Amino acid sequence: MANRQLKGESKVSEQVINGANYVSQFFEKAPNRSFTVERILGQGAWGFTLQMVMKSDGTPESASPSTASQAPGLQPLPSLLDMPSSRSFNPMSWASGPPGLYPVSQLPGSFSGLSLSTGSTQSTKRFVLKRSLAEVGEKNITKEIDTLDRLRGSMHIAQPSHVLDTPVWNQVTQSLKGPTLLMDWIENGLLWRFYEKRSELDQPLPNRLLWALFLCLCRMVVALAWPPRDLGVRAANEPELEVPPPRNAGYERPPKSRLLHGDFHGQNIMIDNLEPKEHRIVPVLKLIDFGMARDLPERGNEPKDIVTKTNIRAIGEVMLGLLRGNVRGGPGMMNVIHNGQQKTINSYATDLDKLSNKYRAPAAVVEKHQDRINNLDPDIRNLVALCVAVKVEDRPDIEDLLGVVEANTRNKRPTDYRNYTYSNNESDEAIQMIVQHHIFDA
């Protein structure tokens, strides 16, 4: 059978094309042609990803409507297949905050991209398939699946695709060679793409939008600190918001894990749609790609919570990127307010005070950057500076950080920014327009 040319071939190596053709031919030769390769999505250090579609006949087992979630599953992996399926990626809005302008049933971008009706009896469902290029890649995919199994049920972490739970997948793929990672299709792409499109915005991102994104990032760190499986928690049908586990009678929480993501940046964060729990205005962010995740061994005399605070530094760098700052400018002394007290720390967030001269940026760029910084909520500036502090001890505890960011996301109102230059951007309507144009319609 001649290989059909797949979309995306021009952007990957011949080795990836061969691997994609193997998968494509495997499903084309299957007696039940329920699965089709639509395109090659990309190539990584150890593997490649394909955009897939599953056609179903509408039976309950194979056509359950689930919202786009991103989560990988290893085939075959009994611990995943035996667990109840977890659905959806959902986007983010204000944490129990402003209800927004849309009824839940009319939320823009909601419930899209996963199951599409193609007729009276058939529907299609997109998902992502990831495979390795070499033996070392197979080991990493296997490790990634186990990590995601630990994190299953966390709203802001990639979740296994429902396709894994369908009888047709298990029947068709019995002879498929090598580990295969499945992820639900995520509708709105990478956060990095939103980074790149910021240049189209003549004005700074609204502070209330920044608070919402910051909260998503904090919840990712909570999930890494207390993976549900480590706590003996089985995933519910729907992913839940990540919160620190309750304290015991001795006012102690379960110990934090030593799980480090290892590759935490804007190209490993995806944007999904809106959902009614905490994401009515701004879509949820999902952390993906756990191929480099690992549990770090303990070392003598290490700073307290060093692993969790390394993940905290990572979300600080993501926030810096959203603010058009960068750690490459180097650290410097910054005055911040933390827990009501002023302190001076050495931090990589100096771009939030003034753009570093090391960039040799043109005067117009420096002026525009300062215009953004002048419009930045000082509470965001202080927290980001603390997250990327040089000394681990100066970074906030995740419980404190989550509490402050959640409270500000919930309680900050447009009127809190009425004296800011770009106060008109802080309304629900203005934020919805930005999300619609620069995320959903991008």
Side-chain angles (χ1 to χ4, degrees), residues 33-53:
R33 297 186 63 179
S34 298
F35 303 98
T36 303
V37 177
E38 290 189 314
R39 65 180 295 122
I40 300 171
L41 291 175
Q43 176 177 0
W46 297 301
F48 60 94
T49 53
L50 305 176
Q51 178 180 316
M52 303 284 298
V53 66

Side-chain angles (χ1 to χ4, degrees), residues 55-188:
K55 299 178 182 178
S56 66
D57 60 4
T59 61
E61 292 86 357
S62 58
S64 58
S66 53
T67 49
S69 98
Q70 155 107 16
L74 177 58
Q75 193 280 326
L77 190 65
S79 61
L80 278 180
L81 297 176
D82 292 343
M83 293 183 69
S85 60
S86 65
R87 290 172 32 178
S88 67
F89 253 69
N90 284 326
M92 122 148 241
S93 166
W94 310 114
S96 304
L101 302 180
Y102 297 90
V104 172
S105 61
Q106 299 176 16
L107 291 173
S110 293
F111 317 117
S112 61
L114 217 58
S115 295
L116 307 172
S117 175
T118 59
S120 59
T121 61
Q122 188 179 76
S123 65
T124 62
K125 178 174 182 172
R126 281 198 176 89
F127 62 99
V128 176
L129 181 149
K130 180 177 179 180
R131 286 177 63 85
S132 65
L133 293 172
E135 184 177 352
V136 64
E138 292 185 2
K139 293 179 180 178
N140 277 283
I141 287 180
T142 302
K143 182 179 68 174
E144 183 174 359
I145 289 302
D146 183 64
T147 300
L148 285 163
D149 188 30
R150 288 174 68 186
L151 295 164
R152 188 167 186 169
S154 304
M155 180 178 287
H156 294 85
I157 303 292
Q159 300 291 298
S161 170
H162 270 306
V163 172
L164 277 172
D165 303 316
T166 61
V168 65
W169 173 262
N170 294 312
Q171 294 167 3
V172 170
T173 59
Q174 288 181 4
S175 60
L176 182 63
K177 298 178 181 178
T180 303
L181 187 66
L182 299 189
M183 299 166 274
D184 280 337
W185 180 254
I186 301 177
E187 188 72 15
N188 296 303

Side-chain angles (χ1 to χ4, degrees), residues 327-364:
V327 299
R328 289 181 297 179
M333 304 310 294
M334 299 181 68
N335 294 320
V336 298
I337 297 176
H338 184 49
N339 292 331
Q341 296 184 344
Q342 184 168 320
K343 59 187 294 188
T344 301
I345 62 170
N346 194 16
S347 173
Y348 283 96
T350 53
D351 283 348
L352 300 188
D353 287 341
K354 180 181 178 182
L355 198 64
S356 172
N357 293 329
K358 295 180 180 179
Y359 304 133
R360 298 183 179 179

Side-chain angles (χ1 to χ4, degrees), residues 258 298-310 390-395 397:
R258 299 184 62 82
E298 292 189 35
R299 298 179 180 178
N301 300 320
E302 68 179 17
K304 181 184 177 183
D305 291 340
I306 184 173
V307 178
T308 297
K309 291 191 175 184
T310 300
V390 174
K391 293 178 63 176
V392 174
E393 296 86 349
D394 285 332
R395 299 172 201 163
D397 294 330

Side-chain angles (χ1 to χ4, degrees), residues 22 58 93 193 268 311 317 410:
Y22 165 74
S93 166
R193 186 176 66 172
N268 281 334
N311 289 323
E317 291 188 21
R410 176 182 296 132

Side-chain angles (χ1 to χ4, degrees), residues 213-281:
L213 298 176
F214 204 171
L215 180 57
C216 274
L217 297 172
C218 289
R219 294 206 185 276
M220 294 174 191
V221 175
V222 171
L224 294 170
W226 291 285
R229 194 180 76 186
D230 291 12
L231 301 175
V233 176
R234 285 180 65 88
N237 288 334
E238 296 283 350
E240 300 290 338
L241 290 175
E242 301 87 344
V243 297
R247 299 180 187 273
N248 60 20
Y251 204 66
E252 295 180 341
R253 300 188 196 276
K256 297 182 180 72
S257 80
R258 299 184 62 82
L259 180 58
L260 183 74
H261 183 273
D263 201 19
F264 204 136
H265 51 71
Q267 293 191 32
N268 281 334
I269 297 172
M270 296 197 75
I271 308 175
D272 197 42
N273 298 312
L274 304 175
E275 63 89 36
K277 293 180 182 178
E278 189 175 82
H279 311 99
R280 292 177 179 269
I281 298 176

